[in-house]
Amino acid sequence: MDSALVIEIVDHHGRDPDRLMEIIRDLRLHQYDLPDPVIEQVAERLGLALDQVRAAAVAPILKKRGRPKGKKNKPKLISEPKPKVSVAPRVILRKRPKPEPSLETAAESRPPVPAEAEEPAPTPPAPPPATEEKIAPPAIAAVSEPPMPERRAEVDSTRRYPEMTEPKRSADPTVGPLLEKAKQDGAETAFDRAMEGQKAICQYGANGVCCRLCAMGPCRISLKEGKGAERGVCGATANTIAARNFCRMIAAGAAAHSDHARAVADTFILAAKGEIPGFQIKDEQKLYQLALDLGIAIGDRSVKEIAIEVGEKCLAEFGRQEGELLLVKRAPLKRQEIWRKLGMTPRGIDREVVEMMHRTHMGVDQDYRNLILQGSRTSLADGWGGSMISTELQDIMFGTPQPIASEINLGVLKADEVNIIVHGHEPLLSEMVVVASRDPELLAFAKEKGAKGINLAGICCTANEILMRHGIPIAGNFLQQELAIVTGAVDAMVVDVQCIMENLAEISKCYHTKLITTNYRAKIIGAEHIQFEEHDAINTAKKIVRTAIENYPRRDPKKVSIPQEKSDMVVGFSHETINYLLGGLFRASYRPLNDNIINGRIRGIAGVVGCNNVRTEHDSAHLAMIKELLKNDVIVLTTGCAAMACGKAGLLTPEAAKQYCGPGLAEVCETVGIPPVLHMGACVDNSRILIAATAVVKEGGLGDDISDLPAAGAAPEWMSEKAIAIGQYFVASGVFTVFGVTFPIMGAPQVRDHLFSELEGMVGGKWAFEPDPVKGAKLMIEHIDKKRKALGIDKARERVLYDMAMRREME
Amino acid sequence: MAEKWPTVTKDSFDGSKVEILGETYEPGKPGPEAPGLWRNKLQDRKQMLKYLETGLRYWYAKEGYGSEKRKNPA
Ligand code: SF4
Ligand code: SF4
């Protein structure tokens, strides 16, 4: 971008520092990323600190316009230039927002409603301070922590949340070329839809202040204080509406994990009874472990007897009406006390989800704090209930993950073999597909059809499950599901539940790929349905593999383009394996980890998890955040699609320690022989992170509760309701948790205060929203340092070598 | 030893050069059935329960270690 144009744009806005966001927006119309020289010029011309402009340049901006093509297509600048104003710095946070005509017009045109008595009147903006102090723009300021009362007033006067900017597409080199190929093949992907049909994002929805819970609505609350509707038809405030929406997301996420767990428990009981060939009790030791947790006698009883009782007791947790979920007892004692005192301990998994749905029905719970309390309880029923049950039972049936090497990215597809992709979440069918793909008869059939073999690969969390237990390679994460088909080399994509894009059916039509749904709960129009029958699992799997083989000759070689890229990785770090690796079989222990945290070689622990989101550059935020954490000696635990992003970027190898870590963490990783980023599994396996954190607490020396640990969590590219449920159970378990991309309560100032600040006083954990991943990492590190300080381990202790004289003196 | 194992030269505390044992791992990539499958080492029920009491003592040992089992709780 040439300097003259930068000056022209800045001048057009009257060199007004208050118009920074508009200036940035206009500059961005010419270039997606603002390079440093442009930022420097803007800062200089507006008399603002470089950091402030940089923050604004990466923050989401308010209004999106089409990206002009070519230089001729200059942004349409406002016709009446503003008079030039003083360039004295102002506090941008306090500035009253400019009206958003496209949004407000709609809100204002609704029937007038009585003025709201409950919410505080907007506080007039404070006069700009005479000092040089500058505060970051709203999106960034959401995570800053001034004292509550003032902040609430400020938030009230800026009740809006900026729109997302046009994202770059991906940090993964396979994505760009495949999107080009898709265009040539006439195939449309999520990347196209996000930038075309779904480009405009409804700000009411994004900010959580749209309610459609009853037929008197939909109601939308104004995003601008004092202008437009302050209440829904029934009188619901922005806070009630946003809290209800948020809690419904938690309920949906918890239901998804838990219904998955229920299916696993059902299958587990059948397997224990020996009624379904192919499934068995593979990890006997884990069975005993769970039996002890559930209070089941072991003695001389047979494995079958114990397993049946374990399965039935787990299944009963879903319908439990009173008392406490049994696995809650695994949490640190202090944590259990906190939950009990707050009335947050989950009673039964289904009960909490149903109660949450009831309380968010029109006209029931209308106190945002009370709603979020039940939201926490519901999320705990997921993290310490449904998710944990599915992890444990899957481990018993299929094996507890142990370190295993494999490969990741679309380069794992093979040009001369039948490629089958399993995608979704439940490992029940995919485990059987693994067995079927090695069946000699089917391998012979594949050869008969001209293929050299059968190549199985995974996408999303099903991929993580079979990767960790069998080393089956991963083709890609969430945003690569359509692109796998675009390679033209996938003969069948087999899906079960969750995170499956409906467009797979459409995009398959452009190629020869067979999309096969397998679960009665998740059908897609246009797909072939082969129902997975537990009682005949292996034959269902064989039928699927056979269908893929039969489809192989239909592959059009002209349409095949498999990317070269694939990376090595080592995965399978269940909490049991970490414990073993740190101490060996006879002295397994978290002690070395605790000691290295105490002595400062490891600064802290971070859990970076979650999805991909097409509204932000694919994989980029995961990688930027994790690299920043590693550089600062923070060890990273990861699951889900975040783990896959790490795998593709080479972070899941022990060699990554040398390349990316600070000296302390690198030394520890090298000594133990582990990667600095530990792949702990699928999204339901976030429960493994809870247990690992508990083990660190119980080992001693780092406080008595998860909230005492120098640890933090994040989901920088989240998109699913499950991610919100996970985030909430991390927060309710005492973890500071940062989410990126967007956050669905930003239009509700009091809910925002509650989640971002007040909760910390109650449960020890809190939320933060920060779209910039490096800033997000810095917030996590700040939190880790705060905890180190509270533990008294913030200063590196001087090491003294005692000679004999000094020793004698001590005695 | 120097013939058998690789060595590297590093600076000692006093600034002199010392030769120490270098990387001893075998080059190459482990296969999917790599050693690391530590759970197979636990053979019978007795061993498995014993491991729970020692390795996972935080939860399964009656008398044990850890911050929550100390005499004077924080
Ligand atoms: S519940 Fe209230 S706010 Fe929601 S749609 Fe109905 S009337 Fe509107
Ligand atoms: S991390 Fe998110 S996108 Fe990926 S599989 Fe899990 S829920 Fe789906």
Side-chain angles (χ1 to χ4, degrees):
Chain A
M1 184 184 285
D2 69 43
S3 181
L5 184 61
V6 176
I7 296 167
E8 193 189 329
I9 292 173
V10 175
D11 282 350
H12 184 83
H13 290 276
R15 296 197 189 187
D16 180 355
D18 278 359
R19 309 196 75 183
L20 176 61
M21 291 306 277
E22 288 172 41
I23 295 168
I24 296 285
R25 183 199 58 207
D26 286 345
L27 289 164
R28 276 195 190 168
L29 290 175
H30 285 260
Q31 197 159 329
Y32 282 162
D33 264 339
L34 297 184
D36 269 346
V38 170
I39 292 173
E40 277 158 28
Q41 278 189 45
V42 177
E44 192 194 314
R45 295 216 162 240
L46 298 183
L48 293 175
L50 205 53
D51 275 352
Q52 187 179 347
V53 181
R54 198 168 279 136
V58 295
I61 52 174
L62 285 166
K63 211 164 141 190
K64 194 157 52 176
R65 295 181 198 160
R67 187 174 184 233
K69 289 181 191 74
K71 213 172 167 189
K72 272 187 207 158
N73 209 352
K74 273 197 216 166
K76 207 175 158 224
L77 301 174
I78 299 153
S79 53
E80 286 173 40
K82 284 198 114 195
K84 293 196 176 182
V85 293
S86 146
V87 292
R90 304 264 177 87
V91 178
I92 289 186
L93 181 65
R94 290 172 193 272
K95 182 191 155 213
R96 282 186 70 84
K98 293 186 188 315
E100 278 286 87
S102 56
L103 299 172
E104 296 306 328
T105 337
E108 282 154 24
S109 67
R110 297 184 68 83
V113 290
E116 182 176 310
E118 181 201 294
E119 285 196 276
T123 317
T131 64
E132 291 290 303
E133 188 197 346
K134 296 179 188 83
I135 296 174
I140 313 296
V143 292
S144 62
E145 283 183 78
M148 287 262 300
E150 289 133 62
R151 193 155 81 99
R152 189 165 289 143
E154 284 169 4
V155 168
D156 276 352
S157 66
T158 55
R159 190 195 289 170
R160 65 152 89 185
Y161 153 66
E163 193 172 310
M164 283 161 268
T165 48
E166 287 187 11
K168 275 193 201 162
R169 296 181 155 191
S170 179
D172 179 336
T174 65
V175 172
L178 282 172
L179 287 175
E180 280 308 311
K181 179 175 187 295
K183 205 187 276 170
Q184 283 160 20
D185 296 346
E188 188 194 73
T189 69
F191 291 90
D192 305 317
R193 291 185 293 275
M195 298 313 293
E196 286 154 22
Q198 296 300 332
K199 191 174 178 187
I201 295 168
C202 167
Q203 291 294 293
Y204 297 99
N207 286 290
V209 291
C210 165
C211 180
R212 49 178 187 80
L213 289 184
C214 85
M216 295 193 288
C219 300
R220 302 184 303 190
I221 304 303
S222 168
L223 290 163
K224 188 164 179 288
E225 183 66 38
K227 204 158 188 206
E230 288 288 310
R231 287 174 182 265
V233 173
C234 68
T237 63
N239 293 307
T240 303
I241 290 172
R244 284 196 303 218
N245 291 339
F246 190 70
C247 286
R248 283 201 162 202
M249 292 179 89
I250 296 174
H257 286 145
S258 302
D259 208 38
H260 164 171
R262 191 196 326 270
V264 173
D266 283 337
T267 309
F268 183 90
I269 294 171
L270 294 172
K273 289 180 177 165
E275 289 176 8
I276 42 172
F279 293 98
Q280 53 184 318
I281 303 303
K282 222 174 188 174
D283 194 331
E284 209 180 305
Q285 200 247 12
K286 189 89 188 232
L287 173 72
Y288 301 143
Q289 189 177 328
L290 190 57
L292 291 175
D293 286 324
L294 300 174
I296 293 170
I298 295 174
D300 291 332
R301 297 171 77 201
S302 69
V303 169
K304 181 176 177 179
E305 231 179 303
I306 299 169
I308 293 172
E309 196 177 342
V310 163
E312 283 170 350
K313 227 163 175 177
C314 284
L315 198 59
E317 292 293 89
F318 293 89
R320 176 191 275 279
Q321 300 302 322
E322 289 303 334
E324 296 179 356
L325 287 182
L326 292 171
L327 293 181
V328 159
K329 285 197 195 72
R330 284 180 165 185
L333 301 175
K334 194 168 161 192
R335 177 73 4 208
Q336 294 179 43
E337 274 314 302
I338 293 170
W339 290 336
R340 269 179 213 122
K341 266 192 209 134
L342 292 169
M344 211 181 255
T345 313
R347 295 155 292 186
I349 299 165
D350 293 352
R351 172 161 191 177
E352 303 311 346
V353 174
V354 169
E355 185 171 317
M356 190 76 265
M357 294 307 284
H358 171 205
R359 282 164 67 165
T360 50
H361 183 275
M362 187 270 162
V364 187
D365 200 347
Q366 286 153 107
D367 172 340
Y368 66 89
R369 284 194 183 89
N370 207 35
L371 279 161
I372 301 286
L373 182 70
Q374 177 60 19
S376 297
R377 202 175 201 183
T378 309
S379 72
L380 292 173
D382 174 3
W384 296 86
S387 282
M388 204 171 272
I389 286 174
S390 79
T391 295
E392 300 301 275
L393 295 183
Q394 286 169 186
D395 280 359
I396 297 170
M397 271 197 289
F398 308 126
T400 302
Q402 310 172 72
I404 194 162
S406 190
E407 291 177 329
I408 183 166
N409 216 343
L410 289 164
V412 303
L413 297 176
K414 295 190 176 148
D416 50 6
E417 294 193 16
V418 176
N419 288 308
I420 303 174
I421 289 202
V422 284
H423 168 26
H425 281 74
E426 294 180 356
L428 303 174
L429 171 67
S430 52
E431 282 281 334
M432 289 300 118
V433 177
V434 173
V435 177
S437 69
R438 291 168 184 170
D439 183 81
E441 211 178 291
L442 288 170
L443 283 167
F445 183 48
K447 291 210 170 114
E448 209 178 284
K449 292 283 173 189
K452 285 200 175 138
I454 302 169
N455 181 39
L456 192 61
I459 281 186
C460 278
C461 284
T462 294
N464 281 325
E465 302 279 7
I466 53 172
L467 163 76
M468 290 204 305
R469 298 193 178 96
H470 304 282
I472 300 290
I474 292 189
N477 49 7
F478 175 69
L479 278 180
Q480 284 171 292
Q481 55 185 287
E482 291 167 305
L483 300 178
I485 294 177
V486 173
T487 63
V490 175
D491 303 296
M493 185 175 273
V494 186
V495 301
D496 55 21
V497 293
Q498 299 168 23
C499 302
I500 297 148
M501 291 190 188
E502 185 171 342
N503 191 56
L504 292 180
E506 279 307 303
I507 207 163
S508 296
K509 288 181 195 158
C510 298
Y511 304 89
H512 77 299
T513 308
K514 275 233 153 117
L515 178 68
I516 304 172
T517 52
T518 59
N519 194 301
Y520 74 94
R521 293 173 294 178
K523 293 190 178 179
I524 300 174
I525 292 172
E528 180 174 339
H529 187 77
I530 301 179
Q531 179 59 39
F532 167 59
E533 303 286 355
E534 292 96 336
H535 287 92
D536 199 17
I538 189 64
N539 284 327
T540 310
K542 280 185 181 171
K543 189 174 172 189
I544 287 166
V545 174
R546 187 170 282 277
T547 308
I549 298 171
E550 279 164 357
N551 200 30
Y552 176 77
R554 290 183 56 234
R555 200 191 278 182
D556 178 355
K558 288 198 288 298
K559 279 194 171 176
V560 174
S561 171
I562 301 175
Q564 296 291 310
E565 287 84 0
K566 57 180 176 178
S567 308
D568 290 330
M569 59 183 172
V570 182
V571 303
F573 294 92
S574 54
H575 109 84
E576 290 87 349
T577 288
I578 297 175
N579 190 41
Y580 164 79
L581 288 174
L582 289 172
L585 200 62
F586 298 106
R587 51 195 164 85
S589 172
Y590 271 75
R591 192 73 245 159
L593 176 64
N594 283 29
D595 282 346
N596 280 296
I597 293 175
I598 292 166
N599 68 28
R601 275 197 195 91
I602 297 178
R603 192 163 177 174
I605 308 169
V608 181
V609 305
C611 324
N612 293 142
N613 187 322
V614 77
R615 304 287 180 186
T616 186
E617 188 184 342
H618 170 232
D619 285 351
S620 158
H622 289 307
L623 300 179
M625 173 176 273
I626 289 172
K627 285 180 185 168
E628 185 67 23
L629 291 165
L630 297 180
K631 202 167 77 189
N632 285 283
D633 290 318
V634 176
I635 192 166
V636 176
L637 310 178
T638 185
T639 62
C641 291
M644 298 181 199
C646 294
K648 288 187 279 174
L651 297 176
L652 301 183
T653 58
E655 293 79 21
K658 247 187 213 166
Q659 200 179 339
Y660 297 104
C661 299
L665 179 59
E667 198 182 324
V668 175
C669 291
E670 255 179 77
T671 311
V672 184
I674 52 171
V677 182
L678 299 178
H679 184 310
M680 292 190 83
C683 348
V684 286
D685 294 332
N686 283 312
S687 58
R688 295 190 203 274
I689 300 182
L690 295 176
I691 296 296
T694 305
V696 173
V697 170
K698 286 179 182 278
E699 177 54 50
L702 290 170
D704 291 322
D705 179 35
I706 295 174
S707 64
D708 295 334
L709 298 178
E717 296 182 30
W718 77 280
M719 65 89 200
S720 125
E721 288 166 317
K722 291 180 290 174
I724 291 288
I726 293 167
Q728 188 66 27
Y729 74 61
F730 268 90
V731 168
S733 299
V735 182
F736 172 60
T737 303
V738 185
F739 268 38
V741 194
T742 178
F743 204 66
I745 48 86
M746 299 303 279
Q750 285 159 17
V751 177
R752 198 158 96 160
D753 278 338
H754 184 62
L755 295 181
F756 291 176
S757 158
E758 201 174 26
L759 263 185
E760 192 175 26
M762 296 165 65
V763 293
K766 63 175 176 178
W767 287 91
F769 165 54
E770 174 51 73
D772 178 329
V774 174
K775 286 201 176 113
K778 290 198 167 125
L779 288 174
M780 294 162 83
I781 294 165
E782 263 167 41
H783 178 82
I784 284 169
D785 287 348
K786 182 172 99 179
K787 294 294 170 181
R788 291 187 70 87
K789 194 165 182 202
L791 289 165
I793 54 169
D794 53 327
K795 290 180 195 81
R797 283 187 206 138
E798 206 182 318
R799 290 188 207 170
V800 183
L801 273 178
Y802 283 80
D803 61 18
M804 278 319 285
M806 289 160 87
R807 278 170 203 271
R808 271 188 220 112
E809 220 169 88
M810 280 169 72
E811 280 157 13
Chain B
M1 184 178 151
E3 281 163 57
K4 195 168 175 204
W5 303 105
T7 56
V8 286
T9 306
K10 295 225 166 181
D11 288 336
S12 178
F13 295 112
D14 60 7
S16 64
K17 300 278 177 205
V18 286
E19 201 180 15
I20 58 164
L21 189 63
E23 289 160 345
T24 53
Y25 56 77
E26 287 169 26
K29 279 196 272 175
E33 299 302 323
L37 308 181
W38 63 278
R39 288 181 81 78
N40 303 346
K41 293 177 186 169
L42 301 165
Q43 293 291 338
D44 56 30
R45 184 175 291 186
K46 205 169 143 211
Q47 276 181 18
M48 291 173 187
L49 291 172
K50 186 80 200 149
Y51 181 79
L52 287 177
E53 274 183 32
T54 54
L56 297 176
R57 58 191 170 277
Y58 313 114
W59 293 277
Y60 309 109
K62 281 184 197 81
E63 29 185 293
Y65 308 76
S67 60
E68 293 171 337
K69 294 189 178 169
R70 63 188 169 220
K71 279 187 197 138
N72 305 310

PDB file of all heavy atoms in Angstrom, chain A residues 211-219 232-236 241 244 362-363, ligand 1:
ATOM      1  N   CYS A 211     -33.576 -13.195  20.876  1.00  0.00           N
ATOM      2  CA  CYS A 211     -34.307 -14.273  21.542  1.00  0.00           C
ATOM      3  C   CYS A 211     -35.433 -14.754  20.635  1.00  0.00           C
ATOM      4  O   CYS A 211     -36.227 -13.963  20.144  1.00  0.00           O
ATOM      5  CB  CYS A 211     -34.884 -13.783  22.876  1.00  0.00           C
ATOM      6  SG  CYS A 211     -35.796 -15.077  23.730  1.00  0.00           S
ATOM      7  N   ARG A 212     -35.497 -16.054  20.432  1.00  0.00           N
ATOM      8  CA  ARG A 212     -36.629 -16.600  19.670  1.00  0.00           C
ATOM      9  C   ARG A 212     -37.207 -17.785  20.435  1.00  0.00           C
ATOM     10  O   ARG A 212     -37.541 -18.813  19.875  1.00  0.00           O
ATOM     11  CB  ARG A 212     -36.219 -16.960  18.242  1.00  0.00           C
ATOM     12  CG  ARG A 212     -34.977 -17.777  18.127  1.00  0.00           C
ATOM     13  CD  ARG A 212     -34.655 -18.134  16.683  1.00  0.00           C
ATOM     14  NE  ARG A 212     -33.546 -19.046  16.646  1.00  0.00           N
ATOM     15  CZ  ARG A 212     -33.623 -20.353  16.865  1.00  0.00           C
ATOM     16  NH1 ARG A 212     -34.793 -20.906  17.135  1.00  0.00           N
ATOM     17  NH2 ARG A 212     -32.558 -21.114  16.811  1.00  0.00           N
ATOM     18  N   LEU A 213     -37.320 -17.581  21.745  1.00  0.00           N
ATOM     19  CA  LEU A 213     -37.820 -18.662  22.584  1.00  0.00           C
ATOM     20  C   LEU A 213     -39.334 -18.787  22.538  1.00  0.00           C
ATOM     21  O   LEU A 213     -39.879 -19.795  22.948  1.00  0.00           O
ATOM     22  CB  LEU A 213     -37.384 -18.458  24.047  1.00  0.00           C
ATOM     23  CG  LEU A 213     -35.900 -18.669  24.344  1.00  0.00           C
ATOM     24  CD1 LEU A 213     -35.641 -18.528  25.839  1.00  0.00           C
ATOM     25  CD2 LEU A 213     -35.427 -20.030  23.875  1.00  0.00           C
ATOM     26  N   CYS A 214     -40.028 -17.740  22.087  1.00  0.00           N
ATOM     27  CA  CYS A 214     -41.480 -17.893  21.994  1.00  0.00           C
ATOM     28  C   CYS A 214     -41.994 -17.151  20.771  1.00  0.00           C
ATOM     29  O   CYS A 214     -41.262 -16.402  20.125  1.00  0.00           O
ATOM     30  CB  CYS A 214     -42.160 -17.407  23.274  1.00  0.00           C
ATOM     31  SG  CYS A 214     -42.467 -15.637  23.322  1.00  0.00           S
ATOM     32  N   ALA A 215     -43.254 -17.369  20.473  1.00  0.00           N
ATOM     33  CA  ALA A 215     -43.828 -16.843  19.235  1.00  0.00           C
ATOM     34  C   ALA A 215     -44.214 -15.373  19.334  1.00  0.00           C
ATOM     35  O   ALA A 215     -44.736 -14.794  18.380  1.00  0.00           O
ATOM     36  CB  ALA A 215     -45.029 -17.686  18.827  1.00  0.00           C
ATOM     37  N   MET A 216     -43.959 -14.739  20.478  1.00  0.00           N
ATOM     38  CA  MET A 216     -44.146 -13.275  20.535  1.00  0.00           C
ATOM     39  C   MET A 216     -42.928 -12.587  19.929  1.00  0.00           C
ATOM     40  O   MET A 216     -42.973 -11.418  19.608  1.00  0.00           O
ATOM     41  CB  MET A 216     -44.342 -12.828  21.982  1.00  0.00           C
ATOM     42  CG  MET A 216     -45.612 -13.356  22.606  1.00  0.00           C
ATOM     43  SD  MET A 216     -46.011 -12.540  24.149  1.00  0.00           S
ATOM     44  CE  MET A 216     -44.788 -13.193  25.265  1.00  0.00           C
ATOM     45  N   GLY A 217     -41.858 -13.342  19.823  1.00  0.00           N
ATOM     46  CA  GLY A 217     -40.625 -12.806  19.237  1.00  0.00           C
ATOM     47  C   GLY A 217     -40.525 -13.229  17.797  1.00  0.00           C
ATOM     48  O   GLY A 217     -41.554 -13.522  17.189  1.00  0.00           O
ATOM     49  N   PRO A 218     -39.388 -13.321  17.200  1.00  0.00           N
ATOM     50  CA  PRO A 218     -38.088 -13.048  17.816  1.00  0.00           C
ATOM     51  C   PRO A 218     -37.948 -11.607  18.303  1.00  0.00           C
ATOM     52  O   PRO A 218     -38.450 -10.675  17.655  1.00  0.00           O
ATOM     53  CB  PRO A 218     -37.096 -13.304  16.684  1.00  0.00           C
ATOM     54  CG  PRO A 218     -37.826 -14.070  15.645  1.00  0.00           C
ATOM     55  CD  PRO A 218     -39.264 -13.701  15.785  1.00  0.00           C
ATOM     56  N   CYS A 219     -37.264 -11.474  19.448  1.00  0.00           N
ATOM     57  CA  CYS A 219     -37.008 -10.145  20.000  1.00  0.00           C
ATOM     58  C   CYS A 219     -35.512  -9.875  19.962  1.00  0.00           C
ATOM     59  O   CYS A 219     -34.720 -10.767  20.237  1.00  0.00           O
ATOM     60  CB  CYS A 219     -37.458 -10.079  21.453  1.00  0.00           C
ATOM     61  SG  CYS A 219     -39.204 -10.406  21.681  1.00  0.00           S
ATOM     62  N   GLY A 232     -37.240  -7.433  25.605  1.00  0.00           N
ATOM     63  CA  GLY A 232     -38.074  -8.202  24.694  1.00  0.00           C
ATOM     64  C   GLY A 232     -39.537  -7.973  25.015  1.00  0.00           C
ATOM     65  O   GLY A 232     -39.858  -7.309  26.004  1.00  0.00           O
ATOM     66  N   VAL A 233     -40.445  -8.541  24.224  1.00  0.00           N
ATOM     67  CA  VAL A 233     -41.874  -8.331  24.450  1.00  0.00           C
ATOM     68  C   VAL A 233     -42.270  -8.724  25.871  1.00  0.00           C
ATOM     69  O   VAL A 233     -43.026  -8.043  26.547  1.00  0.00           O
ATOM     70  CB  VAL A 233     -42.699  -9.135  23.404  1.00  0.00           C
ATOM     71  CG1 VAL A 233     -44.187  -9.062  23.721  1.00  0.00           C
ATOM     72  CG2 VAL A 233     -42.434  -8.605  21.994  1.00  0.00           C
ATOM     73  N   CYS A 234     -41.702  -9.829  26.372  1.00  0.00           N
ATOM     74  CA  CYS A 234     -42.045 -10.288  27.730  1.00  0.00           C
ATOM     75  C   CYS A 234     -41.318  -9.492  28.803  1.00  0.00           C
ATOM     76  O   CYS A 234     -41.538  -9.703  29.987  1.00  0.00           O
ATOM     77  CB  CYS A 234     -41.719 -11.765  27.874  1.00  0.00           C
ATOM     78  SG  CYS A 234     -39.946 -12.074  27.815  1.00  0.00           S
ATOM     79  N   GLY A 235     -40.441  -8.617  28.405  1.00  0.00           N
ATOM     80  CA  GLY A 235     -39.697  -7.812  29.372  1.00  0.00           C
ATOM     81  C   GLY A 235     -38.291  -8.329  29.622  1.00  0.00           C
ATOM     82  O   GLY A 235     -37.553  -7.759  30.424  1.00  0.00           O
ATOM     83  N   ALA A 236     -37.912  -9.406  28.950  1.00  0.00           N
ATOM     84  CA  ALA A 236     -36.571  -9.963  29.180  1.00  0.00           C
ATOM     85  C   ALA A 236     -35.502  -8.963  28.765  1.00  0.00           C
ATOM     86  O   ALA A 236     -35.600  -8.340  27.706  1.00  0.00           O
ATOM     87  CB  ALA A 236     -36.407 -11.261  28.402  1.00  0.00           C
ATOM     88  N   ILE A 241     -31.590 -12.627  28.219  1.00  0.00           N
ATOM     89  CA  ILE A 241     -31.604 -13.283  26.903  1.00  0.00           C
ATOM     90  C   ILE A 241     -30.245 -13.920  26.604  1.00  0.00           C
ATOM     91  O   ILE A 241     -30.164 -15.085  26.220  1.00  0.00           O
ATOM     92  CB  ILE A 241     -32.007 -12.273  25.805  1.00  0.00           C
ATOM     93  CG1 ILE A 241     -33.493 -11.905  25.972  1.00  0.00           C
ATOM     94  CG2 ILE A 241     -31.732 -12.822  24.405  1.00  0.00           C
ATOM     95  CD1 ILE A 241     -33.972 -10.776  25.084  1.00  0.00           C
ATOM     96  N   ARG A 244     -29.623 -16.937  28.832  1.00  0.00           N
ATOM     97  CA  ARG A 244     -30.418 -18.096  28.408  1.00  0.00           C
ATOM     98  C   ARG A 244     -29.798 -18.746  27.174  1.00  0.00           C
ATOM     99  O   ARG A 244     -29.675 -19.961  27.092  1.00  0.00           O
ATOM    100  CB  ARG A 244     -31.862 -17.665  28.081  1.00  0.00           C
ATOM    101  CG  ARG A 244     -32.698 -17.409  29.312  1.00  0.00           C
ATOM    102  CD  ARG A 244     -34.184 -17.355  29.021  1.00  0.00           C
ATOM    103  NE  ARG A 244     -34.583 -16.356  28.035  1.00  0.00           N
ATOM    104  CZ  ARG A 244     -35.700 -15.627  28.126  1.00  0.00           C
ATOM    105  NH1 ARG A 244     -36.506 -15.779  29.161  1.00  0.00           N
ATOM    106  NH2 ARG A 244     -36.018 -14.785  27.183  1.00  0.00           N
ATOM    107  N   MET A 362     -39.283 -19.835  27.986  1.00  0.00           N
ATOM    108  CA  MET A 362     -39.859 -18.504  28.197  1.00  0.00           C
ATOM    109  C   MET A 362     -40.481 -18.397  29.607  1.00  0.00           C
ATOM    110  O   MET A 362     -41.214 -19.291  30.031  1.00  0.00           O
ATOM    111  CB  MET A 362     -40.949 -18.264  27.125  1.00  0.00           C
ATOM    112  CG  MET A 362     -41.531 -16.882  27.101  1.00  0.00           C
ATOM    113  SD  MET A 362     -42.965 -16.768  28.175  1.00  0.00           S
ATOM    114  CE  MET A 362     -43.085 -15.012  28.376  1.00  0.00           C
ATOM    115  N   GLY A 363     -40.110 -17.336  30.296  1.00  0.00           N
ATOM    116  CA  GLY A 363     -40.784 -17.027  31.557  1.00  0.00           C
ATOM    117  C   GLY A 363     -40.410 -17.923  32.730  1.00  0.00           C
ATOM    118  O   GLY A 363     -41.224 -18.121  33.622  1.00  0.00           O
TER     119      GLY A 363
HETATM  120  S1  SF4 C   1     -39.282 -15.122  25.513  1.00  0.00           S
HETATM  121 FE1  SF4 C   1     -39.574 -12.907  25.689  1.00  0.00          FE
HETATM  122  S2  SF4 C   1     -37.750 -12.052  24.708  1.00  0.00           S
HETATM  123 FE2  SF4 C   1     -37.900 -14.189  24.051  1.00  0.00          FE
HETATM  124  S3  SF4 C   1     -39.038 -14.191  22.120  1.00  0.00           S
HETATM  125 FE3  SF4 C   1     -40.543 -14.506  23.740  1.00  0.00          FE
HETATM  126  S4  SF4 C   1     -41.218 -12.440  24.267  1.00  0.00           S
HETATM  127 FE4  SF4 C   1     -39.341 -12.193  23.093  1.00  0.00          FE
END
